[in-house]
Amino acid sequence: SWFGTYAVTLDFAVRRNLCLGTMKGLYFQKSSTNEEITFVFQERENLPVTEDNYVKLQVKACALSQINTKLLAEMKMEKEFFPVGREIAGIVLDVGNKVSFFQPDDEVVGILPLDSEDPGLCEVVRVHEHYLVHKPEKVTWTEAAGTIRDGVRAYTALHYLSHLSSGKSVLIMDGASALGMIAIQLAHHRGAKVISTAGSLEDKQCLERLRPSLARVIDVSNGKAHVAESCLEETGGLGVDIVLDAGVRLYSKDDEPAVKLQLLPHKHDIITLLGVGGHWVTTEENLQLDPPDSHCLFLKGATVAFLNDEVWNLSNVQQGKYLYILFIY
């Protein structure tokens, strides 16, 4: 992605500024045509006094994840400069008088809300305590900041949206991705039977080395594997209980890009391999289900849930605004 290409070079710039002791934060700016993106350091005003439920945090590590400019536009949250870096890990410097979960010198990790004014790529941030959790002692700063987002996504998908429990069968698409790897580990921890897909030979070998081992790894890199048939064969024709996709094809082969054709299953395949009472958790924000699709899901008593992790990363004010926008639509 365009964001990843800047990650390494900007890290050196950030470290240099922090060593100089300057209070600068990293922001990105879009051109008026929305085609060109630039990154700039801006001097930051002194943080307000830490009060109420807010925590002042010294940042030790910050992950660089892609900024969802489309969602920002839909949320009417666009501005000239947008803070960069939201997944952070660090040490608590000060706490407000209503903070109950943390105290100075605690090691924490968290995700700044979508409407945060502070960039994670700076020396000190001020954040509400509800966006932080204690960092496990044996987890490094980099590991904590780098896994918190996909960890929340995977846990949301398997725990809240599909109610994973022991003995269930789970299909996790693109298991070698960051989200896929964490989801596989969580599913195994809950005692589930896990099937996954691999988009390359390297991914396939990586998944086959995992312990506990997967029930089946389906290689979709050559476009010849039939995901639905493989899952039905593995489950004795019953279908899987939970599907966590990494996107799906919505249209016929003639209307889809070649890359998407090769790696992603068609929505009909997902519906076919889903068992009775199954849960389909999708990351496809533009999923379209025709009446026959809905009828098939109805006959199976199956559910479809959308994994939009940003909903949980909004402040209380923005959550209300988000619901208002949805109501208008």
Side-chain angles (χ1 to χ4, degrees):
S1 66
W2 56 264
F3 201 85
T5 59
Y6 286 90
V8 175
T9 55
L10 288 176
D11 181 59
F12 287 112
V14 171
R15 290 179 184 275
R16 181 189 63 191
N17 280 279
L18 294 185
C19 289
L20 293 175
T22 57
M23 282 294 292
K24 289 186 177 181
L26 185 66
Y27 296 79
F28 92 94
Q29 181 182 25
K30 294 180 66 175
S31 65
S32 57
T33 59
N34 288 336
E35 295 180 357
E36 183 179 352
I37 295 176
T38 57
F39 293 86
V40 296
F41 284 103
Q42 285 191 335
E43 294 285 352
R44 299 177 62 244
E45 298 180 0
N46 291 331
L47 293 177
V49 177
T50 306
E51 57 185 12
D52 296 337
N53 294 95
Y54 282 86
V55 172
K56 182 182 290 185
L57 183 70
Q58 179 186 2
V59 179
K60 289 292 187 179
C62 178
L64 289 174
S65 56
Q66 188 165 348
I67 298 172
N68 192 336
T69 55
K70 180 181 178 182
L71 178 61
L72 293 175
E74 292 177 349
M75 290 287 299
K76 312 299 182 185
M77 294 172 60
E78 290 182 303
K79 43 193 171 186
E80 184 178 4
F81 296 98
F82 196 85
V84 173
R86 293 171 51 208
E87 301 85 31
I88 58 174
I91 299 176
V92 174
L93 298 177
D94 192 18
V95 299
N97 59 335
K98 294 183 180 180
V99 172
S100 56
F101 297 110
F102 307 102
Q103 57 187 2
D105 297 326
D106 280 352
E107 297 183 353
V108 298
V109 59
I111 304 176
L112 298 178
L114 191 63
D115 53 330
S116 173
E117 297 292 334
D118 294 332
L121 279 170
C122 62
E123 187 175 14
V124 179
V125 298
R126 178 176 173 269
V127 58
H128 197 285
E129 65 172 329
H130 292 167
Y131 295 104
L132 301 171
V133 294
H134 288 279
K135 180 183 75 68
E137 183 179 353
K138 294 183 179 180
V139 177
T140 67
W141 298 115
T142 304
E143 290 169 345
T147 58
I148 184 68
R149 171 176 289 275
D150 286 307
V152 170
R153 295 180 69 205
Y155 190 81
T156 300
L158 297 179
H159 179 74
Y160 291 110
L161 300 181
S162 57
H163 312 292
L164 177 66
S165 59
S166 178
K168 298 288 187 179
S169 56
V170 185
L171 170 63
I172 297 174
M173 309 296 295
D174 193 13
S177 65
L179 173 63
M181 275 292 186
I182 296 177
I184 288 173
Q185 294 178 64
L186 285 175
H188 275 151
H189 179 69
R190 291 290 182 88
K193 176 181 180 179
V194 183
I195 304 169
S196 186
T197 62
S200 67
L201 177 59
E202 183 181 4
D203 289 351
K204 181 174 183 289
Q205 293 173 341
C206 174
L207 293 173
E208 289 176 340
R209 288 194 297 267
L210 293 178
R211 294 295 180 271
S213 59
L214 302 181
R216 179 174 296 201
V217 177
I218 306 170
D219 186 359
V220 297
S221 60
N222 56 14
K224 297 180 180 180
H226 297 284
V227 178
E229 291 181 9
S230 298
C231 290
L232 291 173
E233 178 182 328
E234 186 64 39
T235 58
L238 296 177
V240 299
D241 299 303
I242 298 170
V243 177
L244 173 57
D245 71 32
V248 294
R249 288 190 289 116
L250 303 177
Y251 310 109
S252 64
K253 293 183 178 181
D254 298 332
D255 300 324
E256 293 278 13
V259 175
K260 196 169 185 179
L261 273 176
Q262 189 175 16
L263 299 179
L264 297 180
H266 195 279
K267 60 181 179 180
H268 295 154
D269 294 329
I270 300 294
I271 295 173
T272 299
L273 63 85
L274 198 62
V276 174
H279 302 279
W280 175 11
V281 181
T282 182
T283 59
E284 180 57 63
E285 62 182 65
N286 296 313
L287 180 66
Q288 298 179 28
L289 295 177
D290 301 321
D293 300 329
S294 298
H295 185 64
C296 185
L297 291 170
F298 169 77
L299 293 177
K300 292 186 175 187
T303 62
V304 179
F306 291 87
L307 181 58
N308 176 12
D309 52 300
E310 292 294 359
V311 170
W312 314 109
N313 294 330
L314 299 172
S315 68
N316 292 334
V317 173
Q318 288 297 339
Q319 284 188 25
K321 181 178 178 182
Y322 188 58
L323 294 174
Y324 175 71
I325 292 174
L326 293 178
F327 178 76
I328 293 177
Y329 280 127

